[in-house]
Amino acid sequence: MAERLRLAQADSGEQPWRSWGPYLAERAWGTVREDYSEHGTAWDYFPHDHARSRAYRWNDDGMAGICDDRQTFCFALALWNGRDPILKERMFGLGGDGGNHGEDAKEYWWYQDSTPTHSWMRWRYHYPQREFPYDQLVRVNGHRSREESEYELIDTGVFDEDRYWAVTVDYAKATPTDMCLAITVANRGPDEATLHVLPTLWFRNTWSWGLPNRPKPVLAGRPGRLAGLHRSLGHIVLEGQDAPPALVCDNETNAQRLWGLPGASMFPKDGINDHLVAGLPTVNPAGIGTKGGLHYELTLAPGESRTIRLRLAQHDREPPALDLGAGWEAVMRDREAEADDFFAEVIPAAATPDEVAVARQGIAGLMWGKQFYHFDVKQWLTGDPGSAPPPPGRRFGRNNAWWHMNSFDVISMPDPWEYPWYAAWDLAFHCVSIARVDPGFAKSQLLLLLREWYMHPNGQIPAYEWAFGDVNPPVHAWAALRVFEIDGGRDFDFLARVMHKLLLNFTWWVNRKDVGGNNVFEGGFLGLDNVGPFDRSAALPVAGVLEQSDGTGWMAMYALNLLDMAIRLALHDRTYEDMATKFFEHFAYIAEGAYRQGLWDEEDSFFYDQLRLPDGHKLPLKVRSIVGLLPLAATTRLSAATLNRLPELYARLRWLRASQSELADVISARRLSPEGRQQRLLAMVGQDQLLRVLPRMLDPEEFLSAYGIRTLSRAHLEKPFTVSLGGSDFTVGYEPAESTSGLFGGNSNWRGPVWMPVNYLLIEALREYAAFFGDDLMVEYPTGSQRKMPLTAVADDLSRRLISLFVPDAEGRRPIYGANPVLQRHPDWKDLIVFPEYFHGDNGAGLGAWHQTGWTALIVDLILDLRG
């Protein structure tokens, strides 16, 4: 199979098929990297209004963009409908200070397809023919409260009467550095209309910062061609059919527009914009610069469409005319057919056509979500030689303890627009689904964050750009095991490399997040924004320590993951048996500590966080949330055959059972597997507690919704939890949609909606329990139905509930699109699928980061498991 061969060639280094891809950011403005302000106000310091005029420091952005894996060159699409005040060169949205629910993109675009080597890709965008309502979106959202819904682009009426352009961009690789492109524009409106289409090529500005060995490249334009020359890249050429005019300027900041100061070029970065929109002489008449666009002006009748053929190629010397004829057609045709063959092999034949569409577009989003990420924190803290020094407070502010970190890699992003920077636990979940199509890339991503230029010298894994020192759940080991298994369970070198680095991280957790030394963990934020009555990443309202059920559950799971790794490695290399013994014992102490220290509430049959006060008194925070369900994920099985092959581990297990009876509940459950083999269950939640927790989790009046497991019990709708601390009241109530609290960010909320990653872990846990108990353990499902099911059937049904978020129901509605009639019914919109950050806890509508959240692509894994 052609795509499998390309992957093999890329993994072996024979052919660099991954060297070009959709690695151009969709938003570089408003990011921490570009923020050189005194107080870290990223959205204010580099707003959208500056993006067209200001050369970026650390990366670039654009629409439908690609670049090389060092972002030497960038290519993207620019459009102008003749009415907008600016060219459409990048997606517009509101920052954290402008949206009534935090960051929010205000456009509509979709990733329809991509192979893992990006040999074939498809991107879709709907661009209004009326003037884009920038000011209206800012004004209306700015006046709305958190209790009101977001004001979206479609709400403005700009798409009424179908007055928009449907723009599709297809990419097909002839070689790793020879890309054929088709830009297809269709007039969906009722009248003839004109669209300016500008495929744009430029060099990332690395020459303006005063650093050595950064010569300025050159880009020359003539009709139908942009030809660039770069010291390390060589020659790169963009050629377009029909010889359109080439407009060329410089990728330099327009300092005159922004600050009233002289700039480095008479034809700055926004020169093409000002020339087209305002008719100004801001493109170089000599056709020389570092940024250029081929200018197509298309006038189309109602319903008419037209395709522009382009080719982008790298050569040792500038080539003659590039093939835009039969050769171009063959590449486009063959790569699309090869993509179809590849996905027909990946997605099970038992999947429905709607599930196939969801899976393929989910994978496409993961592939398009890769971005070139450059961030030298030391350089950012101290400033560039050619620029003004940063404010003095920079050295004591954000990320000042991460001076060692130097990123220069292609990384999978949590969301290409709202979160255009990596986040450690997001990335772990991404890799599980990525491994279904590209295990080599998935493994490289997991290893990357463990390298010495990412992991802190103290062993902490960086969390995310806004605060590398924050604490994400420790799911790296779990993800590495899943990727190892998906890849066939043979790459022991990968597993060993991961484990060696995770030993440092596990030790960091034990030393930093168990201040009492009692094997229960504080953790802090742990990614669950707003899940508790107060901000868990900030100082507590009173003196004391917050002991967390989820933090302790995560660490029990972490210990079991490392135990599993050590066992797999020990079966090939006995030197790992000592590690297996160590993590088996550590798991036992953590699991037992959760009960001994009071995280388990015997009366309520639930795990709660608790405040341990200086006088030793413990105050349970009786919020029934996902915090109390996550301990279920700390479970694994050991077979008698494995224990017989690892006698030291087996001996230690027997000794602990005999000498420390308090550990028996978490290590002593034994039974025969369905195949008649002896096996042992290691679980933080034993059979007795399992049968008491599940009735809450599977109760429609509490956690179970029609679309998965809510993050907060619906019982808190009528009975919010309130605690008084330090003279203030702190309350948690069930909120099925976006948060009305600004406690931790704007649109981040774990107080009721359905979140894909924790649902995925709970489904995995149920399957692990089912593999141990078989059909002997039946539970009422749903609670109150008087219908008993084995745990495998429960896990299957939960998977179906999550899948049902994306596929049309009996009435043809996708729950993710809520009550929006255009997205639900319009033939040109309804089959274009987004992957929202989370989902309304009652009706399943998509919420938060809306168009492509990487971890939501776990739905792909659920479809493949259920149908495979």
Side-chain angles (χ1 to χ4, degrees):
M1 180 177 290
E3 181 62 13
R4 292 287 180 199
L5 176 60
R6 284 189 284 268
L7 281 169
Q9 292 174 330
D11 287 341
S12 68
E14 181 183 348
Q15 290 284 342
W17 283 104
R18 297 190 190 94
S19 63
W20 286 15
Y23 310 143
L24 186 68
E26 291 187 336
R27 179 176 63 82
W29 56 275
T31 60
V32 167
R33 282 158 290 162
E34 301 297 334
D35 175 22
Y36 285 77
S37 66
E38 176 70 33
H39 302 293
T41 52
W43 291 103
D44 291 332
Y45 182 80
F46 202 134
H48 176 268
D49 184 56
H50 283 203
R52 69 180 182 275
S53 305
R54 188 167 167 177
Y56 293 111
R57 170 60 179 90
W58 296 100
N59 69 334
D60 257 299
D61 60 13
M63 302 193 308
I66 66 167
C67 65
D68 61 293
D69 57 11
R70 301 176 66 85
Q71 203 168 93
T72 312
F73 80 88
C74 305
F75 171 86
L77 179 65
L79 303 167
W80 187 47
N81 58 16
R83 293 179 170 84
D84 286 354
I86 58 175
L87 289 185
K88 179 61 66 177
E89 295 179 275
R90 57 190 51 80
M91 298 303 177
F92 175 71
L94 302 178
D97 55 349
N100 62 322
H101 290 275
E103 304 99 328
D104 188 31
K106 297 297 183 187
E107 308 241 20
Y108 299 98
W109 73 106
W110 300 266
Y111 312 111
Q112 291 191 274
D113 217 355
S114 179
T115 57
T117 65
H118 313 295
S119 59
W120 168 259
M121 299 189 294
R122 175 167 287 162
W123 178 94
R124 174 74 169 268
Y125 174 53
H126 288 177
Y127 180 41
Q129 294 177 352
R130 298 180 174 95
E131 181 177 342
F132 196 94
Y134 292 103
D135 293 340
Q136 183 182 354
L137 288 166
V138 172
R139 183 180 66 257
V140 175
N141 280 284
H143 283 98
R144 290 195 175 187
S145 68
R146 294 185 188 276
E147 286 75 18
E148 296 175 278
S149 63
E150 295 173 332
Y151 186 64
E152 305 292 3
L153 179 61
I154 209 163
D155 299 326
T156 68
V158 74
F159 291 106
D160 290 356
E161 301 175 290
D162 287 345
R163 293 185 183 274
Y164 64 91
W165 296 96
V167 182
T168 303
V169 182
D170 293 334
Y171 289 94
K173 287 183 180 179
T175 73
T177 56
D178 182 357
M179 190 84 87
C180 299
L181 296 89
I183 301 174
T184 301
V185 297
N187 178 5
R188 297 293 198 244
D191 301 319
E192 182 180 86
T194 298
L195 179 66
H196 300 257
V197 181
L198 293 105
T200 304
L201 177 67
W202 72 97
F203 292 109
R204 182 166 69 97
N205 188 329
T206 60
W207 57 86
S208 295
W209 315 111
L211 302 175
N213 301 316
R214 301 291 196 277
K216 188 174 180 178
V218 64
L219 186 72
R222 64 174 187 264
R225 172 171 282 215
L226 295 167
L229 178 61
H230 189 281
R231 184 188 64 167
S232 61
L233 188 70
H235 292 268
I236 185 164
V237 173
L238 174 68
E239 188 149 329
Q241 69 178 101
D242 301 332
L247 306 177
V248 181
C249 62
D250 286 307
N251 187 18
E252 301 275 8
T253 296
N254 186 344
Q256 184 66 44
R257 174 183 178 257
L258 296 176
W259 305 298
L261 300 173
S265 172
M266 295 174 57
F267 313 106
K269 178 180 177 180
D270 53 11
I272 298 173
N273 175 92
D274 292 351
H275 177 74
L276 274 183
V277 175
L280 299 178
T282 49
V283 293
N284 190 341
I288 301 295
T290 50
K291 174 184 176 182
L294 300 179
H295 180 205
Y296 290 89
E297 185 173 357
L298 307 179
T299 299
L300 274 63
E304 185 181 1
S305 65
R306 193 171 304 174
T307 297
I308 299 168
R309 296 186 179 190
L310 299 152
R311 196 155 189 162
L312 179 68
Q314 179 183 348
H315 291 270
D316 293 336
R317 60 185 61 188
E318 185 176 343
L322 302 179
D323 183 359
L324 292 172
W328 181 95
E329 291 172 356
V331 171
M332 297 296 289
R333 180 184 63 248
D334 291 348
R335 296 301 173 266
E336 184 174 14
E338 291 161 4
D340 291 340
D341 291 343
F342 175 77
F343 286 110
E345 181 186 75
V346 169
I347 303 170
T352 69
D354 286 318
E355 290 169 347
V356 170
V358 170
R360 190 154 174 177
Q361 291 184 51
I363 292 168
L366 283 172
M367 299 299 103
W368 279 90
K370 302 176 187 177
Q371 288 182 16
F372 170 78
Y373 185 88
H374 184 197
F375 193 14
D376 182 336
V377 177
K378 182 180 179 181
Q379 190 76 57
W380 179 78
L381 290 169
T382 58
D384 293 312
S387 304
R394 170 66 63 88
R395 295 179 182 236
F396 308 99
R398 178 174 290 136
N399 295 330
N400 69 84
W402 291 79
W403 51 268
H404 72 286
M405 205 178 82
N406 189 349
S407 307
F408 195 84
D409 299 283
V410 172
I411 308 180
S412 179
M413 300 290 122
D415 179 274
W417 192 94
E418 293 204 20
Y419 307 123
W421 27 259
Y422 70 86
W425 80 307
D426 295 67
L427 183 66
F429 290 113
H430 301 179
C431 288
V432 171
S433 290
I434 289 173
R436 294 290 195 164
V437 294
D438 191 354
F441 182 75
K443 288 184 284 187
S444 72
Q445 291 285 282
L446 291 171
L447 288 167
L448 182 65
L449 293 199
L450 303 179
R451 298 306 303 267
E452 52 273 22
W453 53 90
Y454 281 85
M455 179 184 276
H456 197 280
N458 65 19
Q460 185 179 8
I461 296 174
Y464 50 89
E465 186 178 84
W466 288 85
F468 288 126
D470 219 328
V471 184
N472 277 179
V475 293
H476 224 78
W478 166 83
L481 279 168
R482 288 288 292 122
V483 170
F484 173 80
E485 293 162 354
I486 291 168
D487 190 37
R490 299 178 299 271
D491 193 347
F492 294 100
D493 288 342
F494 161 72
L495 209 59
R497 289 182 68 191
V498 168
M499 185 166 190
H500 291 164
K501 287 300 186 72
L502 288 179
L503 293 175
L504 302 175
N505 181 246
F506 188 87
T507 303
W508 175 86
W509 270 91
V510 171
N511 290 339
R512 295 294 184 92
K513 295 300 178 181
D514 177 14
V515 297
N518 56 7
N519 291 305
V520 296
F521 290 81
E522 295 81 46
F525 165 46
L526 288 180
L528 307 183
D529 313 6
N530 280 332
V531 73
F534 42 78
D535 185 349
R536 301 196 301 173
S537 68
L540 295 175
V542 294
V545 174
L546 180 65
E547 296 179 329
Q548 297 175 214
S549 286
D550 56 337
T552 305
W554 287 122
M555 283 303 289
M557 172 182 162
Y558 197 178
L560 287 180
N561 295 151
L562 291 175
L563 168 64
D564 283 345
M565 278 190 189
I567 287 174
R568 291 167 193 262
L569 291 167
L571 294 174
H572 293 263
D573 181 348
R574 289 292 297 277
T575 59
Y576 285 94
E577 189 171 1
D578 289 347
M579 291 188 186
T581 303
K582 179 260 190 299
F583 287 110
F584 160 72
E585 194 163 323
H586 212 129
F587 158 74
Y589 290 141
I590 293 170
E592 187 274 334
Y595 293 94
R596 176 169 41 83
Q597 297 296 328
L599 298 183
W600 170 258
D601 188 295
E602 186 67 25
E603 181 180 354
D604 287 3
S605 300
F606 207 74
F607 288 95
Y608 295 122
D609 287 353
Q610 65 181 4
L611 270 175
R612 179 161 52 84
L613 303 174
D615 62 3
H617 180 71
K618 296 177 180 179
L619 176 64
L621 302 177
K622 295 193 173 186
V623 181
R624 290 208 294 275
S625 75
I626 203 74
V627 162
L629 298 179
L630 282 169
L632 290 166
T635 179
T636 194
R637 290 168 295 127
L638 295 180
S639 70
T642 295
L643 290 172
N644 288 333
R645 291 181 64 185
L646 301 174
E648 291 183 18
L649 175 61
Y650 198 8
R652 192 64 178 169
L653 188 153
R654 291 198 304 266
W655 181 86
L656 280 173
R657 284 184 59 212
S659 64
Q660 301 192 40
S661 59
E662 68 274 13
L663 302 180
D665 288 344
V666 298
I667 64 174
S668 65
R670 289 182 294 175
R671 64 183 289 118
L672 293 177
S673 71
E675 296 80 23
R677 296 170 183 162
Q678 187 71 242
Q679 58 177 343
R680 187 179 295 274
L681 179 71
L682 304 182
M684 184 170 168
V685 182
Q687 181 175 356
D688 177 63
Q689 291 81 12
L690 179 69
L691 292 174
R692 296 162 69 185
V693 168
L694 287 183
R696 290 202 185 281
M697 186 176 106
L698 305 178
D699 186 348
E701 297 303 315
E702 290 217 37
F703 288 98
L704 182 65
S705 82
Y707 305 103
I709 302 298
R710 304 177 177 106
T711 55
L712 191 73
S713 169
R714 203 172 187 279
H716 287 304
L717 178 64
E718 299 296 331
K719 296 180 180 179
F721 171 82
T722 299
V723 62
S724 296
L725 298 169
S728 299
D729 290 340
F730 299 89
T731 298
V732 175
Y734 174 74
E735 296 181 272
E738 289 168 317
S739 176
T740 58
S741 166
L743 187 64
F744 195 104
N747 60 355
S748 297
N749 171 35
W750 293 70
R751 294 189 171 187
V754 172
W755 288 78
M756 187 65 69
V758 289
N759 269 261
Y760 185 91
L761 288 175
L762 292 173
I763 289 170
E764 272 216 329
L766 291 177
R767 295 197 186 283
E768 192 70 15
Y769 281 112
F772 182 77
F773 291 110
D775 291 347
D776 293 341
L777 183 65
M778 307 280 282
V779 297
E780 188 180 32
Y781 182 76
T783 301
S785 68
Q786 299 184 339
R787 184 172 66 246
K788 294 274 190 172
M789 285 189 181
L791 293 179
T792 297
V794 175
D796 286 348
D797 188 70
L798 288 174
S799 295
R800 291 188 190 95
R801 290 177 186 235
L802 292 163
I803 294 168
S804 74
L805 286 160
F806 297 90
V807 299
D809 61 17
E811 298 177 353
R813 298 177 66 261
R814 299 182 197 269
I816 55 171
Y817 288 140
N820 189 302
V822 174
L823 296 172
Q824 292 287 16
R825 300 295 186 190
H826 196 293
D828 202 32
W829 295 68
K830 65 183 180 66
D831 293 326
L832 300 169
I833 303 169
V834 297
F835 294 82
E837 186 177 8
Y838 52 95
F839 309 90
H840 193 289
D842 294 336
N843 62 35
L847 301 167
W850 198 70
H851 77 291
Q852 179 60 49
T853 308
W855 66 18
T856 298
L858 287 167
I859 199 66
V860 175
D861 211 64
L862 292 177
I863 290 171
L864 269 54
D865 273 346
L866 189 67
R867 300 306 183 193

